[in-house]
Amino acid sequence: MVSIARERRRHWVEGKLATLTGLGPWHRRILSVALMESGWHLLVAREPEYPPVDRAAAFAVGRTGVFALVFADEVPGESELRSVRRHAEETFANLYSGRRQYVPHMIQVVLVSSADTPMAADGRFRVATAATLRSNLLGNDKALQSNSARHLAKTASARLSGYERITTDEAPAAETVEAEGLFTEVEVREHERDRMLGRPFAEWMTFLDPEQLALVNRNFNGPARFSGPAGTGKTVVALHRMARFAKHNSGRLLFTSFVKTLPTYHRSGFERLAPHVGDRAEFTSLHAWAVRFLRQRDVMPRLNTDVCDNAYSHTWLKAREHLADIKGTGVEYWKDELERVIKGRGVTSLKEYQGINRTGRNRVILTDSRRETVWKAIYEPYQAILEQHEVCDLNDVVSAALAELRRRPFEEPYGLVVVDEVQDFTLLELQLVHQIAGGRADSQLCWWGMASSRCIPVAGRCRMRASRLSAAVLFCGSTTATAWPYTTMRSPSTPPTSSTISMVARDSSCATPRWSYPAAAPTDTRGDGRMSRRD
């Protein structure tokens, strides 16, 4: 049975929408959906010929976020979609709730169709009909407090010309919830439970610290590295950058990490930021990606980590009589030397190994003769055992994937690749993720790690510490270096200073890149052949 309060609300909504003479009956029906719910605010375009082109017909602002409503029975062209999103994000840019700043790319573009069978969403927009719009608006997690929604709508309305603001704060008495409504009582209780459990996530899903949001929105003309201590929100910014990219572009995305459990963990967070991207976004460890890629290309070598572990143990039994007396080393030190310094850099000859710069390896100096001992006592026997069993290790898998991708690149490379915990990656692994992103100087590749990490040396040509540049890895061949923009993130509770926030920026007008260095940055002396973190 319909309540009297709901009927009063319906008459109020009809009266408000009737003042907008450009609206047709179907437009009023659609716009009434939000106004029939408490706590919602509507910004409706005032157009003689409704709806407008290249911008939203209306903005709905409520507890589940900001929605840009576009009336369309077919997917608009690329330029029109870009114009709609650009106008929407500019409208809600630089809006604050306390010290936190609203994240404009969290606006959901919704194509509202009059057809019973709507278009398919692709991550840049959502799709709804008159029958599904209510669930599209109300069926999301809570993203805004009521006062934040009110403030966003009021502030956006003040800067928007040609839009009428209608707020349910002025509506008559609240509606009565009917038992046979969209949600049952059990579903409402479950929704409230989920909302409470998800509250910390929702707080940073919609609002970010201004410095974090600046990094989300910053455009780079190539790869970029972001770095900062634990707790500064590096992964939050990474996921937001991915979500923003997905809403502006149609390409594939990859989030990868050395730790195989991290991508799966962060997938759920990303899906809440960009719920309609679908399978365009992949979350997987780099080794799992490489194995799947090689199997798809039907060139997967035989990987057996148990044989590899036994091979090293057997090798060390004989090698320790030659190397155990070197101070500051041990079985794990030489395993890192093999896996990260030699194979992790793609070193395949003794001469190349003797030429690389090992500064930082726990101050252990290896002369050419000692390196020859390491090569003959560890590398060659280890490789011989693998060849005898016709197996490979994970470094070989990465190397094979890199070679295959260089031999036959993707016709359409990934639009964006995000690397988390980059300090754990070897040079070979970073070369692979760069190739996945297209292998160009302007490839969209973001990597994230601890501020104390250091880029490893490559064939004796370059060594870069966090106290200097902390930005570059040699990717473009053996003699050409590509250095990347570098940002150090600070804790949100710490005021920004020149030493805590620094951006190494490339001057594109110069033939030779010029760099400005941070005034101060953490140093790292671990030096174990990786871009390491100092705990």
Side-chain angles (χ1 to χ4, degrees), residues 154-169:
K154 185 176 181 179
T155 308
S157 176
R159 64 170 58 169
L160 267 179
S161 60
Y163 281 76
E164 179 79 19
R165 180 167 69 99
I166 306 175
T167 172
T168 58
D169 292 345

Side-chain angles (χ1 to χ4, degrees), residues 282-351:
E282 300 175 36
F283 286 75
T284 184
S285 70
L286 185 63
H287 291 154
W289 187 95
V291 168
R292 186 186 65 192
F293 167 73
L294 291 171
R295 285 174 176 166
Q296 289 173 344
R297 293 284 181 94
D298 200 25
V299 290
M300 176 64 193
R302 185 184 170 202
L303 173 66
N304 191 318
T305 55
D306 291 336
V307 171
C308 295
D309 290 341
N310 290 333
Y312 179 75
S313 298
H314 181 76
T315 299
W316 175 247
L317 288 176
K318 296 182 178 180
R320 61 184 179 182
E321 62 182 274
H322 304 288
L323 302 172
D325 61 337
I326 299 179
K327 187 177 180 180
T329 69
V331 57
E332 292 301 320
Y333 181 93
W334 294 113
K335 188 174 184 180
D336 271 351
E337 186 79 9
L338 171 67
E339 293 181 348
R340 308 195 71 88
V341 177
I342 298 176
K343 300 198 69 173
R345 300 184 198 177
V347 174
T348 58
S349 70
L350 173 60
K351 182 178 180 180

